Amino acid sequence: MREKRIKLSPQLRTDLTGYAFLLPNFLGCLLFTFIPVLCSLVFSFTDWDYTKGLGNWNFNGLTNYIEMWTDDWFLASLKNTLVYTAAVVPVTICLALVLSVIIDKYCLAKLPVRLAMLMPHLSSMVAISIVWVMMYSSFGPITQLVRWFGVEDVPKWLADYTWAMPAVILMMIWSKVGYAIMIYTSAIQGLPTELYEAADIDGASEIAKFFKLTVPFLSPTTFYLLITNIISSFQVFASIQIMTGGGPGNSTSVLVYYIYRSAFGYYKMGYASAMAWILFVMIFTVTLIQWRGQKRWVGY
């Protein structure tokens, strides 16, 4: 006897084909994102030392979440993260906005300049960090430039408790500004030229057009860059690990680096998971506040 075959409609076949292509991504997200996130939430309520094996833990309730607020390294890392974000994000956005307008109006070779500005974003953060470590060395170009200006007692930059964080911030601004310029440049191409022509007829200056037309029109782009840069600043890790290792002392230790250090240096996986969830709550809260203020920010 012939086996009966289930007849599928063309639409159902198309849907199943699409789901089949999406299935590997869904499985990847489930296995490597959602399940680890739920596991970290469970671990955050334990004292698990992963070197003792899976299952060798004791549930300690909210102990990890309470103790971190008396941990000097956690508080210093939190403070450094906020300082880093407050310095990198506004400077990067403002500098990118000004440079993108200048390049669009006055630069002859626009494409090569934009590509050159974008290269740091395309390069590996590991490679960038290593290059900047050499630039900050005793015989590096930055140190020599400062000496050329007449400063004899040049700080040791990454080895100086006071100057280590500003040195990292300068490098990160340099590496991030190119991407922001690219985003602003794409938005500038779509600005209505009629309003600028009308402003020229009215005798408006370039500065007046910048603040009265360009800045308001680019508000949605600025809002997007603000959100993405704040989130990425909260998650900074590679540059800190390579350039300073969180030092000297705790002067450049940030939350993600301290989470990594607690988990894989001190083997406190439960404590590290608790700090990771505090970081998640911070990022989620900032994102919610920004989205609530989106309509006023973009002028809707």
Side-chain angles (χ1 to χ4, degrees):
M1 298 177 64
R2 294 183 180 180
E3 296 182 358
K4 293 183 179 181
R5 294 184 179 181
I6 300 175
K7 294 184 178 180
L8 302 177
S9 65
Q11 182 61 45
L12 182 58
R13 288 183 180 179
T14 302
D15 293 342
L16 291 176
T17 302
Y19 291 139
F21 280 106
L22 292 175
L23 183 61
N25 286 331
F26 282 130
L27 291 177
C29 289
L30 180 65
L31 293 176
F32 301 110
T33 301
F34 296 120
I35 292 179
V37 166
L38 293 177
C39 290
S40 71
L41 180 60
V42 175
F43 296 154
S44 68
F45 298 103
T46 69
D47 60 354
W48 184 36
D49 179 346
Y50 72 90
T51 60
K52 297 180 180 179
L54 188 64
N56 292 321
W57 60 60
N58 298 310
F59 284 93
N60 56 11
L62 298 175
T63 301
N64 293 329
Y65 291 94
I66 296 173
E67 286 185 354
M68 70 176 65
W69 299 106
T70 60
D71 183 353
D72 292 337
W73 277 87
F74 171 78
L75 296 177
S77 300
L78 176 60
K79 176 185 174 182
N80 291 335
T81 302
L82 296 177
V83 170
Y84 172 88
T85 302
V88 170
V89 174
V91 174
T92 300
I93 292 177
C94 293
L95 187 61
L97 177 58
V98 173
L99 289 177
S100 59
V101 172
I102 291 175
I103 293 172
D104 184 71
K105 283 185 171 294
Y106 304 108
C107 188
L108 296 178
K110 296 180 181 179
L111 182 59
V113 171
R114 289 168 180 164
L115 289 176
M117 298 292 288
L118 185 62
M119 286 305 297
H121 174 72
L122 301 177
S123 302
S124 168
M125 181 54 64
V126 175
I128 291 175
S129 299
I130 293 174
V131 170
W132 275 78
V133 167
M134 293 186 290
M135 292 175 65
Y136 282 129
S137 66
S138 301
F139 300 98
I142 294 179
T143 304
Q144 296 302 320
L145 178 63
V146 173
R147 286 200 182 107
W148 184 78
F149 281 110
V151 179
E152 296 182 0
D153 188 16
V154 180
K156 294 184 179 180
W157 304 119
L158 299 176
D160 189 286
Y161 192 91
T162 303
W163 287 98
M165 181 57 78
V168 174
I169 288 173
L170 178 62
M171 185 276 292
M172 291 305 298
I173 292 173
W174 174 84
S175 65
K176 287 176 173 289
V177 72
Y179 172 76
I181 288 176
M182 180 189 69
I183 299 298
Y184 271 129
T185 298
S186 301
I188 288 174
Q189 305 301 317
L191 295 181
T193 57
E194 304 84 18
L195 294 178
Y196 287 89
E197 293 172 356
D200 290 332
I201 295 174
D202 293 337
S205 63
E206 292 296 330
I207 296 178
K209 288 189 291 184
F210 176 78
F211 285 104
K212 298 294 184 180
L213 295 177
T214 305
V215 173
F217 280 134
L218 294 178
S219 292
T221 306
T222 303
F223 177 74
Y224 164 77
L225 289 173
L226 185 64
I227 291 179
T228 55
N229 276 275
I230 287 178
I231 293 174
S232 65
S233 295
F234 279 161
Q235 297 173 339
V236 61
F237 172 75
S239 58
I240 297 295
Q241 183 188 30
I242 294 170
M243 297 181 71
T244 65
N250 56 13
S251 60
T252 59
S253 179
V254 292
L255 278 179
V256 175
Y257 180 77
Y258 188 50
I259 291 170
Y260 163 82
R261 188 175 178 182
S262 298
F264 301 104
Y266 304 141
Y267 312 119
K268 298 179 179 179
M269 186 61 69
Y271 187 56
S273 298
M275 289 190 291
W277 274 93
I278 292 297
L279 178 61
F280 166 77
V281 170
M282 290 173 55
I283 295 175
F284 186 70
T285 302
V286 170
T287 305
L288 283 182
I289 293 173
Q290 290 176 331
W291 279 109
R292 287 294 297 270
Q294 179 185 15
K295 291 184 178 181
R296 183 176 62 180
W297 178 260
V298 300
Y300 289 163

